[in-house]
Structure formats: C-alpha cells, structure tokens
Amino acid sequence: MPGIMKKRYLITFASVVLLFLLLCLLFDAGLLGRRSDYFNGLLTVGMFYIIVVCSLNLLTGYMGEFSLGQAGFMAIGAYSSAIVTTLISDAVSLPAIVLYLIAVIVGALVSAVIGLLVGIPALRLSGDYLCIVTVAVAEIVRVILSNVGIPAITGSATFGKSFAGIAHVSDYHYVYITTVICVAVMYCYIRSRYGRALIAIREDRIAAAASGINVTRTKVLTFTISAAFAGIAGAVYAHYITTLVPTYFNFSKSSEFLAIVILGGSGSMTGSVVAALILSALPQLISYVVPAFVSYRMLIYAVILVVVMIFRPGGLFGRREFSMAGTLEKLTSRRKQQAA
C-alpha cells in the first residue's frame, strides 16, 4: 500500500475515534443535560439509517439497479434477531454486549440467506422488472409478519398486533462501532476487484460480460451483501425500539431509503452517510424546535427534497467521496501557496 494511502487511512481512523470520544463526552458525561437522551436517540436512529441506506447504495449507486425492497430485508433481520434473543433471554441471562452481537449476527445471516434465494432468480432481470420483484418480496414479508405469529414468543396471536418485550441492548456505543465497521466493509468491497467489476457492469453490462466478468454472480453477491447489511440495521432497530410492528416496514419506508440514497448522491458512500443523518433527524428536529410545525414536518421534509433535486440533481455529493485527509491536504497546499 502506498505511503500516502496509509496516511489517509490513519487520518480517517483518528477522525472516527475522536468523534466517538466526543460523543462519549457529550452523552456519558451529561453535558447536554436533559436533552442528552433525546439527541442520543436521534443519533442511534441516524446510525441504523446509515447502515441500511449505504447497503441500498450498493445496489442503486454502484450496481445501477433500483430496489424498493430494502425495508423487507430490514424486517427479516429485525424479527429473526428479536426471536432468537428473546428465546435466549428467557433461557439464560447474558451480558448486553453478547446479546447484541448475537442479534447482529443472526440478523445478517438470515437476511443474507433470504437475499441469496431471492437474488438468484431475480437478478436475471434488470430495470423496472427487478424493481417490481423487490417491491413484491418486501410486501410478501410484511404480509407474512402481519398474519403469522408465534404466541409463545410474541405474547400475542399475530405479529401484526406487535412484537414487544425485545431486549434493549442497542446502546449507542455498540451501534457506533457497528456502523463504522459496516460502512468500512462496504467501502472496501467497492474498492475491491468485485466492486470494480460491479461498477463495470453498471457502466456497460455487455462490455463487462465480454471482458470476462460473470455478471450474474457479481450481482447476486452484491445483492446478498446488501441484504445482510439491511438485516444488521433491522437487528439494531429492533433492539433499540424493543417493539416491532410490521407496518413500519412498508413500501413508503423503502421509498424513503431510496430517496435518501438519491439525495446524498447515488454512488457516494459519504453522501449516503451525511444524507441519512440529516434526513432521519430532520422531521424530529423540526417538531422539537418549532412544536407548531409538528403537523407539517413531513411537508417541510418533502420541500427540502424537491429543492435539492432541482439545484443538485446529482445529489449532495454526486459520485464524489469526502475525505478528511484530502481536505487537510488541500488546506495545507493552500497555506504553502499563500506563504510562497
């Protein structure tokens, strides 16, 4: 690895650690006072939004295929992890970190398996047809969860009435580390030879196939990875909210995830991170700062989306990535020029 790349990765790692320490100082030391819990909650929600939006960006931004089924895979991860941790909690007492790890692993594995089973036949399609298939899968998942239940676990006849009593183990410390790892893995995947093959498929499927790339296998692999990360986001969500209702994972939620990807910049991980943080917190912040606007917060949200799409049709970042190291290098270069 070139020395300049090592330096950039080191600066990025240091920035991530410093941000984590700053958050610990704000929340653990109670510097925000009574508002600590509120902003802690906003941050936690924003972080699992980051995971699911970045996972969708793998499909939309880098593979070039629209998917409206991400909420379905998130639901699979949420319910499967919640069932497992509930059964384990009833049988034996485990530390919160162990339950959290079990939830994340189960959510990822189950969603990945379902994603693989769906992806093998579905990814032979493309464009509108693939989008329709993902919508159908998400709706099938939602309907099943609304009508089939396990009374011994949920305490009710159906999931549709709610799945309550889930262990609250999604502490923001764990969620922050999980989010950083997930984004880093997805970034490394895009920078790997598989990611470069994926981008080649996005630019020209026929040329990619002619150059020896196995198009179907690459797309199925990416679809499976994307489903796995959506499952992780679902597991984090379930063990933070502690109550699941199938109606949360509906078509509008998948559309919201897609809107965030496009707004941040389709093909930009940085854009997805920034847009997910802003748009997940924006409606709640509006209602918190100006309570009179609580009934209009979604309207304001929609207006902001329209304005950004008019003036920045490629999204906030386009296909560019923000780099702390690159920014510091530019500032240093400007200072040297000014000094000269």
PDB file of all heavy atoms in Angstrom, residues 5 9 54 58 62 181-192 195 229 269-270 321-323:
ATOM      1  N   MET A   5      -1.584   6.542   0.961  1.00  0.00           N
ATOM      2  CA  MET A   5      -2.841   5.881   1.295  1.00  0.00           C
ATOM      3  C   MET A   5      -2.867   5.486   2.775  1.00  0.00           C
ATOM      4  O   MET A   5      -3.892   5.618   3.446  1.00  0.00           O
ATOM      5  CB  MET A   5      -3.034   4.646   0.413  1.00  0.00           C
ATOM      6  CG  MET A   5      -3.230   4.971  -1.054  1.00  0.00           C
ATOM      7  SD  MET A   5      -4.663   6.056  -1.341  1.00  0.00           S
ATOM      8  CE  MET A   5      -6.000   5.030  -0.738  1.00  0.00           C
ATOM      9  N   TYR A   9      -5.684   6.735   5.461  1.00  0.00           N
ATOM     10  CA  TYR A   9      -6.465   5.812   6.281  1.00  0.00           C
ATOM     11  C   TYR A   9      -6.239   6.078   7.766  1.00  0.00           C
ATOM     12  O   TYR A   9      -7.170   5.974   8.572  1.00  0.00           O
ATOM     13  CB  TYR A   9      -6.100   4.363   5.947  1.00  0.00           C
ATOM     14  CG  TYR A   9      -6.627   3.890   4.613  1.00  0.00           C
ATOM     15  CD1 TYR A   9      -5.885   3.031   3.809  1.00  0.00           C
ATOM     16  CD2 TYR A   9      -7.871   4.301   4.151  1.00  0.00           C
ATOM     17  CE1 TYR A   9      -6.365   2.602   2.582  1.00  0.00           C
ATOM     18  CE2 TYR A   9      -8.364   3.884   2.925  1.00  0.00           C
ATOM     19  CZ  TYR A   9      -7.607   3.025   2.142  1.00  0.00           C
ATOM     20  OH  TYR A   9      -8.084   2.598   0.930  1.00  0.00           O
ATOM     21  N   CYS A  54     -26.640   2.914   3.101  1.00  0.00           N
ATOM     22  CA  CYS A  54     -25.389   2.530   2.414  1.00  0.00           C
ATOM     23  C   CYS A  54     -25.536   1.165   1.742  1.00  0.00           C
ATOM     24  O   CYS A  54     -25.005   0.942   0.646  1.00  0.00           O
ATOM     25  CB  CYS A  54     -24.224   2.511   3.394  1.00  0.00           C
ATOM     26  SG  CYS A  54     -23.648   4.148   3.892  1.00  0.00           S
ATOM     27  N   LEU A  58     -25.255   0.261  -2.487  1.00  0.00           N
ATOM     28  CA  LEU A  58     -24.530  -0.779  -3.212  1.00  0.00           C
ATOM     29  C   LEU A  58     -25.300  -1.206  -4.451  1.00  0.00           C
ATOM     30  O   LEU A  58     -24.719  -1.456  -5.513  1.00  0.00           O
ATOM     31  CB  LEU A  58     -24.300  -1.996  -2.309  1.00  0.00           C
ATOM     32  CG  LEU A  58     -23.284  -1.865  -1.176  1.00  0.00           C
ATOM     33  CD1 LEU A  58     -23.237  -3.163  -0.388  1.00  0.00           C
ATOM     34  CD2 LEU A  58     -21.906  -1.524  -1.703  1.00  0.00           C
ATOM     35  N   TYR A  62     -23.959   1.698  -7.144  1.00  0.00           N
ATOM     36  CA  TYR A  62     -22.803   1.001  -7.709  1.00  0.00           C
ATOM     37  C   TYR A  62     -23.189  -0.119  -8.680  1.00  0.00           C
ATOM     38  O   TYR A  62     -22.437  -0.396  -9.614  1.00  0.00           O
ATOM     39  CB  TYR A  62     -21.932   0.445  -6.582  1.00  0.00           C
ATOM     40  CG  TYR A  62     -21.340   1.536  -5.724  1.00  0.00           C
ATOM     41  CD1 TYR A  62     -21.931   1.894  -4.518  1.00  0.00           C
ATOM     42  CD2 TYR A  62     -20.213   2.228  -6.131  1.00  0.00           C
ATOM     43  CE1 TYR A  62     -21.400   2.906  -3.734  1.00  0.00           C
ATOM     44  CE2 TYR A  62     -19.672   3.246  -5.355  1.00  0.00           C
ATOM     45  CZ  TYR A  62     -20.275   3.589  -4.159  1.00  0.00           C
ATOM     46  OH  TYR A  62     -19.755   4.596  -3.395  1.00  0.00           O
ATOM     47  N   ILE A 181     -17.893  -0.167  11.274  1.00  0.00           N
ATOM     48  CA  ILE A 181     -17.422  -1.414  10.659  1.00  0.00           C
ATOM     49  C   ILE A 181     -18.192  -1.706   9.375  1.00  0.00           C
ATOM     50  O   ILE A 181     -17.606  -2.079   8.348  1.00  0.00           O
ATOM     51  CB  ILE A 181     -17.553  -2.590  11.654  1.00  0.00           C
ATOM     52  CG1 ILE A 181     -16.575  -2.399  12.822  1.00  0.00           C
ATOM     53  CG2 ILE A 181     -17.293  -3.927  10.953  1.00  0.00           C
ATOM     54  CD1 ILE A 181     -16.744  -3.414  13.926  1.00  0.00           C
ATOM     55  N   CYS A 182     -19.511  -1.539   9.416  1.00  0.00           N
ATOM     56  CA  CYS A 182     -20.342  -1.831   8.235  1.00  0.00           C
ATOM     57  C   CYS A 182     -19.976  -0.926   7.065  1.00  0.00           C
ATOM     58  O   CYS A 182     -19.808  -1.397   5.933  1.00  0.00           O
ATOM     59  CB  CYS A 182     -21.827  -1.665   8.578  1.00  0.00           C
ATOM     60  SG  CYS A 182     -22.501  -2.941   9.646  1.00  0.00           S
ATOM     61  N   VAL A 183     -19.860   0.368   7.323  1.00  0.00           N
ATOM     62  CA  VAL A 183     -19.514   1.310   6.249  1.00  0.00           C
ATOM     63  C   VAL A 183     -18.118   1.013   5.713  1.00  0.00           C
ATOM     64  O   VAL A 183     -17.885   1.056   4.493  1.00  0.00           O
ATOM     65  CB  VAL A 183     -19.619   2.763   6.750  1.00  0.00           C
ATOM     66  CG1 VAL A 183     -19.108   3.734   5.690  1.00  0.00           C
ATOM     67  CG2 VAL A 183     -21.056   3.105   7.113  1.00  0.00           C
ATOM     68  N   ALA A 184     -17.176   0.688   6.608  1.00  0.00           N
ATOM     69  CA  ALA A 184     -15.809   0.383   6.179  1.00  0.00           C
ATOM     70  C   ALA A 184     -15.774  -0.870   5.307  1.00  0.00           C
ATOM     71  O   ALA A 184     -15.076  -0.908   4.280  1.00  0.00           O
ATOM     72  CB  ALA A 184     -14.908   0.192   7.398  1.00  0.00           C
ATOM     73  N   VAL A 185     -16.545  -1.896   5.686  1.00  0.00           N
ATOM     74  CA  VAL A 185     -16.583  -3.133   4.891  1.00  0.00           C
ATOM     75  C   VAL A 185     -17.188  -2.866   3.518  1.00  0.00           C
ATOM     76  O   VAL A 185     -16.671  -3.339   2.490  1.00  0.00           O
ATOM     77  CB  VAL A 185     -17.370  -4.230   5.635  1.00  0.00           C
ATOM     78  CG1 VAL A 185     -17.612  -5.432   4.722  1.00  0.00           C
ATOM     79  CG2 VAL A 185     -16.614  -4.672   6.881  1.00  0.00           C
ATOM     80  N   MET A 186     -18.270  -2.108   3.472  1.00  0.00           N
ATOM     81  CA  MET A 186     -18.893  -1.791   2.182  1.00  0.00           C
ATOM     82  C   MET A 186     -17.966  -0.951   1.314  1.00  0.00           C
ATOM     83  O   MET A 186     -17.882  -1.150   0.094  1.00  0.00           O
ATOM     84  CB  MET A 186     -20.233  -1.075   2.402  1.00  0.00           C
ATOM     85  CG  MET A 186     -21.353  -2.000   2.841  1.00  0.00           C
ATOM     86  SD  MET A 186     -22.973  -1.183   2.960  1.00  0.00           S
ATOM     87  CE  MET A 186     -22.941  -0.622   4.650  1.00  0.00           C
ATOM     88  N   TYR A 187     -17.256  -0.018   1.929  1.00  0.00           N
ATOM     89  CA  TYR A 187     -16.298   0.811   1.183  1.00  0.00           C
ATOM     90  C   TYR A 187     -15.180  -0.058   0.608  1.00  0.00           C
ATOM     91  O   TYR A 187     -14.794   0.094  -0.563  1.00  0.00           O
ATOM     92  CB  TYR A 187     -15.729   1.892   2.098  1.00  0.00           C
ATOM     93  CG  TYR A 187     -14.735   2.804   1.426  1.00  0.00           C
ATOM     94  CD1 TYR A 187     -15.161   3.888   0.662  1.00  0.00           C
ATOM     95  CD2 TYR A 187     -13.366   2.586   1.555  1.00  0.00           C
ATOM     96  CE1 TYR A 187     -14.247   4.729   0.047  1.00  0.00           C
ATOM     97  CE2 TYR A 187     -12.446   3.427   0.935  1.00  0.00           C
ATOM     98  CZ  TYR A 187     -12.892   4.488   0.186  1.00  0.00           C
ATOM     99  OH  TYR A 187     -11.978   5.308  -0.429  1.00  0.00           O
ATOM    100  N   CYS A 188     -14.666  -0.977   1.423  1.00  0.00           N
ATOM    101  CA  CYS A 188     -13.597  -1.867   0.953  1.00  0.00           C
ATOM    102  C   CYS A 188     -14.097  -2.786  -0.157  1.00  0.00           C
ATOM    103  O   CYS A 188     -13.363  -3.095  -1.102  1.00  0.00           O
ATOM    104  CB  CYS A 188     -13.051  -2.694   2.114  1.00  0.00           C
ATOM    105  SG  CYS A 188     -12.111  -1.736   3.319  1.00  0.00           S
ATOM    106  N   TYR A 189     -15.350  -3.198  -0.050  1.00  0.00           N
ATOM    107  CA  TYR A 189     -15.916  -4.055  -1.104  1.00  0.00           C
ATOM    108  C   TYR A 189     -15.969  -3.304  -2.431  1.00  0.00           C
ATOM    109  O   TYR A 189     -15.613  -3.851  -3.482  1.00  0.00           O
ATOM    110  CB  TYR A 189     -17.311  -4.520  -0.699  1.00  0.00           C
ATOM    111  CG  TYR A 189     -18.022  -5.315  -1.772  1.00  0.00           C
ATOM    112  CD1 TYR A 189     -17.640  -6.621  -2.052  1.00  0.00           C
ATOM    113  CD2 TYR A 189     -19.065  -4.763  -2.517  1.00  0.00           C
ATOM    114  CE1 TYR A 189     -18.273  -7.362  -3.049  1.00  0.00           C
ATOM    115  CE2 TYR A 189     -19.703  -5.487  -3.505  1.00  0.00           C
ATOM    116  CZ  TYR A 189     -19.312  -6.783  -3.767  1.00  0.00           C
ATOM    117  OH  TYR A 189     -19.930  -7.506  -4.756  1.00  0.00           O
ATOM    118  N   ILE A 190     -16.393  -2.062  -2.385  1.00  0.00           N
ATOM    119  CA  ILE A 190     -16.473  -1.256  -3.611  1.00  0.00           C
ATOM    120  C   ILE A 190     -15.086  -1.017  -4.198  1.00  0.00           C
ATOM    121  O   ILE A 190     -14.910  -0.967  -5.420  1.00  0.00           O
ATOM    122  CB  ILE A 190     -17.177   0.086  -3.321  1.00  0.00           C
ATOM    123  CG1 ILE A 190     -18.646  -0.150  -2.983  1.00  0.00           C
ATOM    124  CG2 ILE A 190     -17.060   1.033  -4.512  1.00  0.00           C
ATOM    125  CD1 ILE A 190     -19.421  -0.868  -4.065  1.00  0.00           C
ATOM    126  N   ARG A 191     -14.077  -0.910  -3.333  1.00  0.00           N
ATOM    127  CA  ARG A 191     -12.712  -0.672  -3.806  1.00  0.00           C
ATOM    128  C   ARG A 191     -11.998  -1.963  -4.206  1.00  0.00           C
ATOM    129  O   ARG A 191     -10.885  -1.919  -4.724  1.00  0.00           O
ATOM    130  CB  ARG A 191     -11.891   0.045  -2.719  1.00  0.00           C
ATOM    131  CG  ARG A 191     -12.357   1.476  -2.452  1.00  0.00           C
ATOM    132  CD  ARG A 191     -12.148   2.352  -3.687  1.00  0.00           C
ATOM    133  NE  ARG A 191     -12.529   3.738  -3.457  1.00  0.00           N
ATOM    134  CZ  ARG A 191     -13.737   4.240  -3.646  1.00  0.00           C
ATOM    135  NH1 ARG A 191     -14.711   3.431  -4.059  1.00  0.00           N
ATOM    136  NH2 ARG A 191     -13.995   5.508  -3.436  1.00  0.00           N
ATOM    137  N   SER A 192     -12.614  -3.105  -3.964  1.00  0.00           N
ATOM    138  CA  SER A 192     -12.007  -4.387  -4.321  1.00  0.00           C
ATOM    139  C   SER A 192     -12.249  -4.702  -5.796  1.00  0.00           C
ATOM    140  O   SER A 192     -12.960  -3.963  -6.491  1.00  0.00           O
ATOM    141  CB  SER A 192     -12.592  -5.504  -3.451  1.00  0.00           C
ATOM    142  OG  SER A 192     -13.944  -5.751  -3.806  1.00  0.00           O
ATOM    143  N   GLY A 195     -15.892  -4.973  -6.482  1.00  0.00           N
ATOM    144  CA  GLY A 195     -16.538  -3.676  -6.630  1.00  0.00           C
ATOM    145  C   GLY A 195     -16.248  -3.034  -7.975  1.00  0.00           C
ATOM    146  O   GLY A 195     -17.133  -2.430  -8.596  1.00  0.00           O
ATOM    147  N   PHE A 229     -26.478  -6.453   5.243  1.00  0.00           N
ATOM    148  CA  PHE A 229     -26.332  -5.203   5.988  1.00  0.00           C
ATOM    149  C   PHE A 229     -27.686  -4.598   6.344  1.00  0.00           C
ATOM    150  O   PHE A 229     -27.833  -3.979   7.407  1.00  0.00           O
ATOM    151  CB  PHE A 229     -25.484  -4.221   5.200  1.00  0.00           C
ATOM    152  CG  PHE A 229     -24.014  -4.530   5.251  1.00  0.00           C
ATOM    153  CD1 PHE A 229     -23.315  -4.912   4.112  1.00  0.00           C
ATOM    154  CD2 PHE A 229     -23.318  -4.460   6.441  1.00  0.00           C
ATOM    155  CE1 PHE A 229     -21.966  -5.206   4.163  1.00  0.00           C
ATOM    156  CE2 PHE A 229     -21.964  -4.756   6.510  1.00  0.00           C
ATOM    157  CZ  PHE A 229     -21.288  -5.131   5.365  1.00  0.00           C
ATOM    158  N   MET A 269     -20.702   6.829  -0.928  1.00  0.00           N
ATOM    159  CA  MET A 269     -20.916   6.362   0.434  1.00  0.00           C
ATOM    160  C   MET A 269     -20.986   7.542   1.404  1.00  0.00           C
ATOM    161  O   MET A 269     -21.804   7.569   2.318  1.00  0.00           O
ATOM    162  CB  MET A 269     -19.783   5.421   0.864  1.00  0.00           C
ATOM    163  CG  MET A 269     -19.896   4.024   0.311  1.00  0.00           C
ATOM    164  SD  MET A 269     -21.274   3.129   1.068  1.00  0.00           S
ATOM    165  CE  MET A 269     -21.265   1.645   0.060  1.00  0.00           C
ATOM    166  N   THR A 270     -20.134   8.523   1.192  1.00  0.00           N
ATOM    167  CA  THR A 270     -20.141   9.711   2.041  1.00  0.00           C
ATOM    168  C   THR A 270     -21.478  10.426   1.955  1.00  0.00           C
ATOM    169  O   THR A 270     -22.034  10.859   2.967  1.00  0.00           O
ATOM    170  CB  THR A 270     -19.025  10.683   1.636  1.00  0.00           C
ATOM    171  OG1 THR A 270     -17.795   9.983   1.562  1.00  0.00           O
ATOM    172  CG2 THR A 270     -18.904  11.809   2.628  1.00  0.00           C
ATOM    173  N   GLU A 321     -16.557  11.365  -3.067  1.00  0.00           N
ATOM    174  CA  GLU A 321     -16.433  10.980  -1.668  1.00  0.00           C
ATOM    175  C   GLU A 321     -15.708  12.087  -0.911  1.00  0.00           C
ATOM    176  O   GLU A 321     -14.778  12.697  -1.434  1.00  0.00           O
ATOM    177  CB  GLU A 321     -15.647   9.667  -1.516  1.00  0.00           C
ATOM    178  CG  GLU A 321     -16.264   8.469  -2.225  1.00  0.00           C
ATOM    179  CD  GLU A 321     -17.497   7.936  -1.526  1.00  0.00           C
ATOM    180  OE1 GLU A 321     -17.869   8.478  -0.461  1.00  0.00           O
ATOM    181  OE2 GLU A 321     -18.110   6.988  -2.050  1.00  0.00           O
ATOM    182  N   PHE A 322     -16.167  12.334   0.306  1.00  0.00           N
ATOM    183  CA  PHE A 322     -15.478  13.301   1.157  1.00  0.00           C
ATOM    184  C   PHE A 322     -14.377  12.584   1.923  1.00  0.00           C
ATOM    185  O   PHE A 322     -14.576  11.501   2.465  1.00  0.00           O
ATOM    186  CB  PHE A 322     -16.453  13.938   2.148  1.00  0.00           C
ATOM    187  CG  PHE A 322     -15.776  14.789   3.196  1.00  0.00           C
ATOM    188  CD1 PHE A 322     -15.353  16.071   2.894  1.00  0.00           C
ATOM    189  CD2 PHE A 322     -15.547  14.292   4.474  1.00  0.00           C
ATOM    190  CE1 PHE A 322     -14.726  16.849   3.852  1.00  0.00           C
ATOM    191  CE2 PHE A 322     -14.921  15.057   5.435  1.00  0.00           C
ATOM    192  CZ  PHE A 322     -14.507  16.346   5.127  1.00  0.00           C
ATOM    193  N   SER A 323     -13.213  13.194   1.965  1.00  0.00           N
ATOM    194  CA  SER A 323     -12.079  12.613   2.676  1.00  0.00           C
ATOM    195  C   SER A 323     -11.484  13.653   3.609  1.00  0.00           C
ATOM    196  O   SER A 323     -11.117  14.758   3.170  1.00  0.00           O
ATOM    197  CB  SER A 323     -11.005  12.132   1.686  1.00  0.00           C
ATOM    198  OG  SER A 323      -9.828  11.771   2.365  1.00  0.00           O
TER     199      SER A 323
END
